[in-house]
Coordinates of all heavy atoms in Angstrom, one line a residue:
R234 N -18.9 35.3 -10.6 CA -19.5 36.0 -9.5 C -20.7 36.8 -10.0 O -20.7 37.2 -11.1 CB -18.5 36.9 -8.8 CG -17.9 37.9 -9.7 CD -16.8 38.7 -9.1 NE -16.3 39.6 -10.0 CZ -15.1 39.5 -10.8 NH1 -14.4 38.5 -10.6 NH2 -14.8 40.5 -11.5
P235 N -21.6 37.2 -9.1 CA -21.8 36.7 -7.7 C -22.5 35.3 -7.7 O -23.2 35.0 -8.6 CB -22.7 37.8 -7.1 CG -23.5 38.2 -8.2 CD -22.6 38.2 -9.5
I236 N -22.3 34.6 -6.7 CA -23.0 33.3 -6.5 C -23.8 33.4 -5.2 O -23.3 33.8 -4.2 CB -22.0 32.1 -6.3 CG1 -21.3 31.9 -7.7 CG2 -22.8 30.9 -6.0 CD1 -20.3 30.8 -7.6
I237 N -25.1 33.1 -5.3 CA -26.0 33.2 -4.1 C -26.4 31.7 -3.8 O -26.9 30.9 -4.7 CB -27.2 34.0 -4.4 CG1 -26.9 35.4 -4.7 CG2 -28.2 33.9 -3.2 CD1 -28.1 36.3 -5.1
T238 N -26.2 31.3 -2.6 CA -26.6 30.0 -2.1 C -27.9 30.4 -1.4 O -28.1 31.1 -0.6 CB -25.6 29.5 -1.0 OG1 -25.4 30.3 0.0 CG2 -24.3 29.1 -1.8
A239 N -29.0 29.8 -2.0 CA -30.4 30.1 -1.6 C -30.8 29.2 -0.4 O -30.1 28.2 -0.1 CB -31.3 29.7 -2.8
D240 N -31.9 29.7 0.2 CA -32.4 29.1 1.3 C -32.8 27.5 1.2 O -32.9 26.8 2.2 CB -33.5 29.8 2.0 CG -32.9 31.2 2.6 OD1 -31.8 31.3 2.9 OD2 -33.8 32.1 2.7
D241 N -33.2 27.2 -0.1 CA -33.7 25.9 -0.3 C -32.6 24.9 -0.6 O -32.9 23.7 -0.9 CB -34.8 25.9 -1.5 CG -34.1 26.2 -2.8 OD1 -32.9 26.5 -2.9 OD2 -34.8 26.0 -3.8
G242 N -31.3 25.3 -0.4 CA -30.3 24.4 -0.7 C -29.7 24.4 -2.1 O -28.7 23.6 -2.4
T243 N -30.3 25.2 -3.0 CA -29.7 25.4 -4.3 C -28.9 26.6 -4.3 O -28.7 27.2 -3.3 CB -30.9 25.5 -5.4 OG1 -31.6 26.7 -5.0 CG2 -31.8 24.3 -5.3
A244 N -28.4 26.9 -5.5 CA -27.6 28.2 -5.7 C -27.8 28.7 -7.0 O -28.1 27.9 -7.9 CB -26.0 27.8 -5.4
V245 N -27.4 30.0 -7.3 CA -27.5 30.5 -8.6 C -26.3 31.4 -8.9 O -25.8 32.1 -7.9 CB -28.8 31.4 -8.8 CG1 -30.0 30.5 -8.8 CG2 -28.9 32.5 -7.9
V246 N -25.8 31.5 -10.1 CA -24.9 32.5 -10.5 C -25.7 33.8 -10.8 O -26.4 33.7 -11.7 CB -24.1 32.1 -11.7 CG1 -23.1 33.2 -12.1 CG2 -23.3 30.8 -11.4
A247 N -25.7 34.8 -9.9 CA -26.6 35.9 -10.0 C -26.1 37.1 -10.8 O -26.0 38.1 -10.2 CB -27.0 36.3 -8.6
R248 N -25.8 36.9 -12.0 CA -25.3 38.0 -12.8 C -26.4 38.9 -13.3 O -26.1 40.0 -13.9 CB -24.3 37.5 -13.9 CG -23.2 36.7 -13.4 CD -22.2 36.3 -14.4 NE -21.7 37.4 -15.3 CZ -20.8 38.3 -14.9 NH1 -20.3 38.3 -13.6 NH2 -20.4 39.2 -15.8
T249 N -27.6 38.6 -13.2 CA -28.7 39.4 -13.7 C -29.7 39.6 -12.5 O -29.7 38.9 -11.6 CB -29.5 38.8 -14.8 OG1 -30.1 37.6 -14.4 CG2 -28.6 38.4 -16.0
E250 N -30.5 40.8 -12.7 CA -31.5 41.0 -11.7 C -32.5 39.8 -11.6 O -32.9 39.5 -10.5 CB -32.2 42.3 -12.0 CG -33.2 42.7 -11.0 CD -33.8 44.2 -11.3 OE1 -33.1 45.0 -11.8 OE2 -35.0 44.3 -11.0
D251 N -32.8 39.3 -12.8 CA -33.7 38.1 -12.7 C -33.2 36.9 -12.0 O -33.9 36.3 -11.2 CB -34.1 37.6 -14.1 CG -35.1 38.6 -14.9 OD1 -35.6 39.5 -14.2 OD2 -35.1 38.5 -16.1
A252 N -31.9 36.6 -12.1 CA -31.3 35.6 -11.3 C -31.3 35.8 -9.9 O -31.6 34.9 -9.1 CB -29.9 35.4 -11.8
V253 N -31.1 37.1 -9.4 CA -31.2 37.4 -7.9 C -32.6 37.2 -7.5 O -32.8 36.6 -6.5 CB -30.7 38.9 -7.7 CG1 -30.9 39.2 -6.3 CG2 -29.3 39.1 -8.2
R254 N -33.6 37.6 -8.2 CA -34.9 37.4 -7.8 C -35.3 35.9 -7.9 O -36.1 35.5 -7.0 CB -35.9 38.2 -8.7 CG -35.7 39.7 -8.6 CD -36.8 40.5 -9.3 NE -36.4 42.0 -9.3 CZ -36.5 42.7 -8.2 NH1 -36.9 42.2 -7.1 NH2 -36.1 43.9 -8.3

Side-chain angles (χ1 to χ4, degrees):
R234 59 190 183 251
I236 293 177
I237 296 175
T238 55
D240 292 336
D241 71 349
T243 63
V245 296
V246 178
R248 295 189 54 76
T249 66
E250 187 174 323
D251 286 344
V253 176
R254 292 189 189 289

